[in-house]
Amino acid sequence: MSDDDLYGGYNDDDSPFNTENLNYDQQFQQAVAKTSAGRRPPPTGMRGIPTAGFNKQPVMLGKTGVPGTAMKRGIGTASSGGGRPMTAVTGAGFNSSKNMVAGIDPSSSITLTLEPKIESEEEKIKNLEKNVSQLAEESCFASEDNDKQAAMEKAKEAYRKERLIIKQREEKNLTDQTNTELTGFILLNVACQYANAGNHAEGLNIYNILTKNKIFQLSGRLKTNIGNIFFQQKQYLKAIKMYRMALDQIPITNQELKLQIHRNIALSFIKMGQFNDAATNYEIIFKDRPDLKIGFNLLLCYYALGDRNRMKQCFLELLKIPLKIPDDDDYQSHPTDQQANLVLEVTRDDKLRRYERKKKREIEHCIVTAVKLIAPAIDTDFATGYEFCIEQVKMSEYKDLAHDLEIQKAIVYLKAKNFSMAIETLKDFEKRDIKVASSAATNLSFLYYLEKDLQNAHKYADLSLRADKYNPAALTNKGNCYYAESEFERAKHFYEDALKVDASCVEALYNLGLTYSKIGLYEQALDQFFKLHAMQRNNTQIYVKIAEINAKKTDYDQAENWYMQALRAHPKDSELLKCIGNIYDEQGDRSQAFQYYHDAYRFDPSNLQTIEWLGTYYIDSQYPEKAVEYFEKAALGRPSQVKWHLMVASCYRKSGNYAAALEKYKMIHTRFPDNTECLKFLVRICSDLGYTQEAQEFANKLKKAEKMIEVKQARISSSDKRKMLIKGRKSTFEGKNFIILNN
């Protein structure tokens, strides 16, 4: 027997119940012969086969080749060897012989033939309908994945095939069995895909076909889709008309859909500027299903209408909406229940918990935004309105937001540049809860830093760290103070500590990169900015910093690459164009540099550095007359700076226009009579032109101006010496010990 034979071994049973070899058992045959069973004649179906009473019946085969049976429903086996023992259960036809199948002897000349199944026309059409339905489903999935092109193509193909199926039914006279549900599904999907693709005209045509056909019973929903198309086309009156028709046709049992349609009507009225009608629809929704977003939109409508009383009432109703989100205390560990702690460890940061936190942040943001919006509007004084909102929040389920709102109040003062009120508001937190005091001290430190009051900035940063030494914002503030004092090593220490607490602290990463750059550790600075780049891919400020550091390393190729990436995001940024021009200038490619500086000048013609570079470029290129245009604009923008006026006069002189140069120098002398450089050029030009008398006058003025400068420098030098002498005496007296004798 082979090990692979699943049914092998079943015929090797030598138990006393084995009847396979009873025909050859002489003693058993003699015993049977003496009984009445042994004296009976054999059955007619068994003639010619010497059997005893326990012999099995042979297999009977019908005309179709299907194995027959000798009994009514049983399945027999071949009469040759290898049969199955007779039991109380009818045999299944299995045999240990590998070439036996369901009791049929393979050596027999009889063969089995199966007639092929012929599909009817209805079955063929059903299979085609399945394929069409599958295509429509694929179109829906593609639309869900925002693959509009694939969704449109599959929807059109499904529509075309469904039309062919209808024609086949008409040809075969099977129209009474038409699948109207499939037809409606295909048409609705095509209309939706047309609308998604922006082909509103085709979408409306198909929706009109569906609504006019009485077979389809969802005319209310279809009217809603038609209204959505009109809304996208900014035909808000038609959209509202369709939404109201849908409201009339949708049964009252589908209340959820009716409320959503009311929301669409309200949005349409808002687009039209009819806030009173929009508020009416939002009130219907808010009364039936209180929701924070609907309530916030209703509050915005009241704010647009300037209705103070209804703003207050709506805000109070907002605070009554339950949060329905578990607190963080529900996820605290149990001191004794180890099994519960294991469950909490799994659920503390699962998808549901992350969703709860996100939902809570959205709700809190909505409440805080509502307070910031209505606080100045519900009362004549901003502070009074804010106090009203904060008191109401304290008495509601959202009382934890009260401290944040008070800090927001200080920030509002800060944005209004009312620093005294901002500082006064934040100082009220010093005697409160440690966590709140730490947050307030952090804000105070940053506020004083902005005012360049580094002493108080240090003080409140220390207070914040004393309350919470692992506060990354406080550590960053402390580092900022040292950075402003040019103590870069100490600043680096605090920035690194902040990153140890919170590796994703963007402010600490950015400032640490700046600090490394200041102390010449360019590779470490690049590491910090590359980390920032991984976190904020679209922040062009990071691109610029990476480019600047590469430029300091004289790696101009990398610097140009990063500047170009920033320029692709902001192609009209004159500073970026100027930086790229400077890179080419450093490499000696002045023609390419000129191109970028010229583009920078086009976008910002008032930038003095760009003007100076372009003017210098034309002077170096022996085109001083073209440089005059740029220096005159600089002089026009900075009339009090003599530098630009002298540059204009110098361009006239270099281009050979001495008359214009002389006039310009005289004008400069009139406005700046003590400028020795102007007087020197006046003396030289007058001498060259033969104006001897004028040259002598300007020469005398030059001598007087130089003497005045010498006297002024002597006074400054004398004053410096006197200060050094006084300072030296003070240090001498401080070094001595004085003893006071008592009489």
Side-chain angles (χ1 to χ4, degrees), residues 215-276:
I215 298 175
F216 307 114
Q217 302 297 324
L218 299 176
S219 58
R221 290 177 178 267
L222 297 175
K223 287 284 195 303
T224 305
N225 289 2
I226 294 173
N228 292 340
I229 291 178
F230 284 132
F231 185 89
Q232 292 176 3
Q233 291 179 327
K234 299 183 180 181
Q235 300 182 34
Y236 302 117
L237 284 175
K238 290 184 179 180
I240 292 170
K241 178 182 176 182
M242 286 296 166
Y243 290 143
R244 286 176 172 169
M245 290 172 65
L247 280 176
D248 295 336
Q249 295 176 5
I250 292 174
I252 196 169
T253 54
N254 199 342
Q255 187 66 14
E256 185 66 30
L257 181 58
K258 293 175 82 69
L259 293 177
Q260 291 180 7
I261 294 173
H262 275 296
R263 186 179 67 86
N264 290 357
I265 294 173
L267 288 173
S268 301
F269 277 124
I270 288 175
K271 291 289 187 180
M272 295 169 63
Q274 299 180 17
F275 299 107
N276 201 8

Side-chain angles (χ1 to χ4, degrees), residues 76-218:
T77 58
S79 61
S80 58
R84 178 180 181 276
M86 181 173 290
T87 63
V89 182
T90 306
F94 297 111
N95 194 286
S96 62
S97 300
K98 294 183 179 179
N99 295 326
M100 299 293 288
V101 179
I104 302 176
D105 188 355
S107 62
S108 174
S109 60
I110 301 173
T111 58
L112 301 178
T113 58
L114 298 176
E115 294 181 359
K117 185 179 178 181
I118 301 174
E119 289 184 344
S120 64
E121 292 296 332
E122 182 63 29
E123 289 175 343
K124 289 180 180 179
I125 292 175
K126 290 287 185 185
N127 290 332
L128 291 174
E129 287 178 347
K130 286 181 182 179
N131 294 334
V132 171
S133 179
Q134 185 177 358
L135 271 175
E137 288 178 1
E138 291 175 359
S139 172
C140 294
F141 290 138
S143 177
E144 187 70 20
D145 295 336
N146 204 26
D147 189 353
K148 295 181 180 180
Q149 183 177 357
M152 190 74 253
E153 290 175 357
K154 290 182 181 294
K156 286 182 178 179
E157 186 178 357
Y159 177 73
R160 181 177 56 80
K161 289 187 176 181
E162 197 272 338
R163 294 289 94 189
L164 292 175
I165 290 172
I166 291 176
K167 288 183 180 179
Q168 288 184 16
R169 284 189 178 278
E170 291 174 353
E171 291 173 359
K172 305 295 182 181
N173 294 324
L174 298 173
T175 54
D176 55 334
Q177 299 178 6
T178 301
N179 191 344
T180 56
E181 292 182 357
L182 179 63
T183 303
F185 171 46
I186 297 300
L187 288 173
L188 180 60
N189 182 47
V190 172
C192 289
Q193 301 311 327
Y194 273 128
N196 292 338
N199 194 345
H200 298 139
E202 290 294 335
L204 287 173
N205 289 336
I206 296 176
Y207 278 128
N208 289 329
I209 293 171
L210 288 168
T211 53
K212 290 177 182 177
N213 196 329
K214 301 299 181 183
I215 298 175
F216 307 114
Q217 302 297 324
L218 299 176

Side-chain angles (χ1 to χ4, degrees), residues 367-381:
I367 296 292
V368 172
T369 306
V371 172
K372 291 194 291 185
L373 178 71
I374 69 171
I378 59 177
D379 212 302
T380 54
D381 182 30

